[in-house]
Amino acid sequence: MSKGQSGLGKSTLVNTLFKSQVSRKSSSWNREEKIPKTVEIKAVGHVIEEGGVKMKLTVIDTPGFGDQINNENCWEPIEKYINEQYEKFLKEEVNIARKKRIPDTRVHCCLYFISPTGHSLRPLDLEFMKHLSKVVNIIPVIAKADTMTLEEKSEFKQRVRKELEVHGIEFYPQKEFDEDLEDKTENDKIRQESMPFAVVGSDKEYQVNGKRVLGRKTPWGIIEVENLHHCEFALLRDFVIRTHLQDLKEVTHNIHYETYRAKRLNDNGGLPPGEGLGSVLPPVPATPCPTAE
């Protein structure tokens, strides 16, 4: 899932991340046209392939927020959508004749886009992340990082990390879920050096030193999306798709989903709403009375 205020290039970055037009499924749209603005929560299924390995991917595009006069509780539709996917999974799980492989529409990762102001997070960003971090894995991302100098970028990253810590907002990878010393060492480095990832997204290719690269053209040169000297896009891509893909799914299942599941079953006496005992629990076989010898 991608989330953040309007105009931060969420759709463009997701397309860049998977080198496909995954966040817009429209035969009428091509690279030359402007990406249409997202006006509703939209899930788009896609199959991507790398090195002969196929992966089914669902990208959930969300409307930009914070543009209205009254932004009170504007996170609720997103939180509701995430919980609805947990509910779907739960209902499948408690069925007697459940499928061998339950369709998984749960949101395993939310890329939260932060405006490159160089100052501090907006109160709305803090409130939004505070609510979402309780139900989904949040990965903070500084959008359009090419608008900042290297010094500004470094200072802003530190400031964002500090603000998230002060407000008690947990982002992925969460410290308490590090399973061993190796995980802790690797994740500490990511938390202290990389987060939030400062990225640049682009659908356009340019010729640089004899090869085609994704980038953004400026009066002073080409900003190469996959060049680590220019931005941290490659780090984000490897983090989400390669090194932490399985762990993201496991944390979703073992932590966020289990929290939702325990609360729902507890609130409803062990049953999802609208379910009767007969529809969920198998009939208890009659037990013969013991006879005296």
Side-chain angles (χ1 to χ4, degrees):
M1 175 180 278
S2 60
K3 192 66 213 154
Q5 72 183 87
S6 299
L8 290 181
K10 299 185 293 296
S11 301
T12 300
L13 187 106
V14 170
N15 285 338
T16 313
L17 195 62
F18 299 103
K19 292 187 177 177
S20 300
Q21 308 302 332
V22 294
S23 73
R24 288 292 185 280
K25 201 169 189 178
S26 170
S27 57
S28 63
W29 179 69
N30 60 55
R31 285 173 181 263
E32 304 306 317
E33 296 173 354
K34 189 175 180 182
I35 295 178
K37 187 177 179 181
T38 310
V39 292
E40 60 186 6
I41 298 174
K42 185 180 178 185
V44 179
H46 202 81
V47 176
I48 61 174
E49 186 172 350
E50 183 176 343
V53 178
K54 290 184 178 180
M55 181 175 75
K56 188 177 179 185
L57 169 79
T58 301
V59 174
I60 300 133
D61 229 341
T62 61
F65 70 95
D67 303 332
Q68 289 75 33
I69 294 172
N70 180 8
N71 292 299
E72 188 179 2
N73 300 334
C74 61
W75 54 82
E76 285 183 352
I78 306 301
E79 193 172 6
K80 180 173 178 281
Y81 178 88
I82 292 169
N83 284 330
E84 281 172 354
Q85 309 320 305
Y86 291 148
E87 184 70 20
K88 277 185 191 175
F89 196 88
L90 176 60
K91 284 187 174 179
E92 287 286 348
E93 201 176 46
V94 298
N95 278 339
I96 297 170
R98 63 181 177 183
K99 299 167 185 169
K100 287 182 180 178
R101 192 177 183 87
I102 298 174
D104 191 358
T105 61
R106 295 172 298 181
V107 182
H108 297 294
C109 171
C110 175
L111 297 179
Y112 191 90
F113 286 69
I114 297 166
S115 183
T117 61
H119 301 296
S120 58
L121 290 169
R122 301 181 306 163
L124 190 55
D125 287 321
L126 291 168
E127 200 62 34
F128 214 108
M129 281 191 273
K130 191 178 289 184
H131 281 83
L132 281 194
S133 63
K134 294 171 184 174
V135 296
V136 70
N137 295 314
I138 290 236
I139 297 178
V141 171
I142 298 172
K144 298 188 175 180
D146 52 323
T147 60
M148 309 170 79
T149 66
L150 294 176
E151 292 77 14
E152 286 170 343
K153 184 173 72 175
S154 177
E155 288 174 9
F156 188 44
K157 281 163 73 87
Q158 290 179 37
R159 193 171 292 126
V160 169
R161 285 197 296 267
K162 186 68 178 172
E163 285 190 73
L164 292 175
E165 184 183 345
V166 167
H167 288 86
I169 297 169
E170 288 283 347
F171 56 85
Y172 180 86
Q174 299 93 327
K175 291 178 185 176
E176 63 266 37
F177 305 146
D178 292 340
E179 294 189 344
D180 54 39
L181 186 59
E182 189 178 338
D183 284 347
K184 185 181 185 309
T185 303
E186 181 187 354
N187 288 339
D188 274 345
K189 187 177 180 184
I190 292 167
R191 285 186 285 259
Q192 293 163 17
E193 295 178 15
S194 302
M195 293 287 188
F197 294 100
V199 300
V200 176
S202 175
D203 288 299
K204 295 186 177 177
E205 289 186 343
Y206 296 94
Q207 195 84 15
V208 176
N209 297 326
K211 59 179 182 177
R212 305 286 291 176
V213 299
L214 286 170
R216 283 168 57 86
K217 190 173 184 179
T218 69
W220 50 87
I222 305 291
I223 295 158
E224 298 173 43
V225 167
E226 297 179 277
N227 187 333
L228 283 173
H229 295 293
H230 294 190
C231 80
E232 294 166 348
F233 169 82
L235 290 178
L236 173 65
R237 180 190 58 205
D238 288 350
F239 181 70
V240 173
I241 300 175
R242 295 180 180 138
T243 61
H244 286 68
L245 175 65
Q246 187 58 34
D247 189 63
L248 277 163
K249 292 166 73 175
E250 287 175 4
V251 172
T252 296
H253 183 77
N254 298 330
I255 307 299
H256 297 303
Y257 171 66
E258 279 301 315
T259 300
Y260 177 86
R261 181 178 179 276
K263 184 177 185 303
R264 292 292 288 106
L265 295 181
N266 188 54
D267 289 349
N268 290 278
L271 299 172
E275 300 283 357
L277 278 171
S279 63
V280 177
L281 301 177
V284 179
T287 306
C289 294
T291 54
E293 290 292 336

